[in-house]
Amino acid sequence: MSGDTILICQVYAAKRQSPLVPGVILLPAMMADIHNHGYSVQAVLTGKAEAASISSWENPEVRVGWTFTVKGAGTFQVEAELVCAERNTRLTVKAGGNTLDARVDAWGDADTFRTVTLGRIGVANSGNNVIQIVPDKDEWGPIRLKSIKLTRVL
């Protein structure tokens, strides 16, 4: 990855976390850190800008994460815009030392993204934080992920 690419992504992230909607942080796929595992099937970013999604996420060893900034500790509702077509899947959301276990039921349509509420998670530290989506190794179905949205509720 070149320095120019990183700079472009940082500028995009700053725009997505702007106060256009107070209390909402949108974490798009193009900003994600994809942590592939070894030589297995690799999750990849496909598409551009707002149409980008993380595809070929078949391996439950792969995790995805973002760095985000909050002005103060709080509780956030976590929503994912994704496709879960083949089978039900379980995943864990990790942020600020807390975890949220979630289940996503498959809907059979590989071309339709839906927004799914995963639950609520606390973020104890103001400033920079990291959120990760970690598959459940025993119950993982391939997904395509377009974004994660955090909405402050407390």
Side-chain angles (χ1 to χ4, degrees):
M1 192 180 298
S2 73
D4 290 342
T5 303
I6 292 170
L7 178 61
I8 291 168
C9 291
Q10 288 174 342
V11 169
Y12 185 81
K15 288 181 181 177
R16 297 307 290 172
Q17 287 190 225
S18 69
L20 295 175
V21 181
V24 175
I25 300 169
L26 182 62
L27 304 168
M30 71 174 287
M31 293 303 308
D33 292 321
I34 302 171
H35 301 271
N36 282 303
H37 180 75
Y39 295 103
S40 61
V41 175
Q42 304 288 296
V44 296
L45 183 68
T46 57
K48 295 180 181 179
E50 306 238 347
S53 66
I54 298 166
S55 301
S56 301
W57 193 355
E58 299 173 15
N59 184 346
E61 298 289 332
V62 173
R63 68 187 194 288
V64 175
W66 292 261
T67 299
F68 66 100
T69 304
V70 293
K71 291 185 178 181
T75 301
F76 294 83
Q77 178 171 288
V78 181
E79 294 176 301
E81 186 177 2
L82 54 79
V83 172
C84 181
E86 293 182 28
R87 61 181 176 273
N88 299 341
T89 192
R90 287 193 179 277
L91 53 88
T92 300
V93 179
K94 296 182 178 184
N98 294 315
T99 60
L100 162 65
D101 293 323
R103 175 187 166 105
V104 178
D105 293 328
W107 51 82
D109 183 352
D111 296 320
T112 303
F113 282 89
R114 292 187 183 174
T115 300
V116 176
T117 300
L118 301 179
R120 292 182 175 188
I121 196 162
V123 176
N125 299 316
S126 62
N128 289 338
N129 287 273
V130 174
I131 187 168
Q132 289 188 330
I133 308 298
V134 181
D136 180 310
K137 293 178 183 169
D138 296 323
E139 191 176 343
W140 179 249
I143 67 169
R144 288 175 49 209
L145 179 63
K146 189 178 276 189
S147 65
I148 295 292
K149 182 169 102 174
L150 305 174
T151 304
R152 185 181 290 274
V153 292
L154 295 173

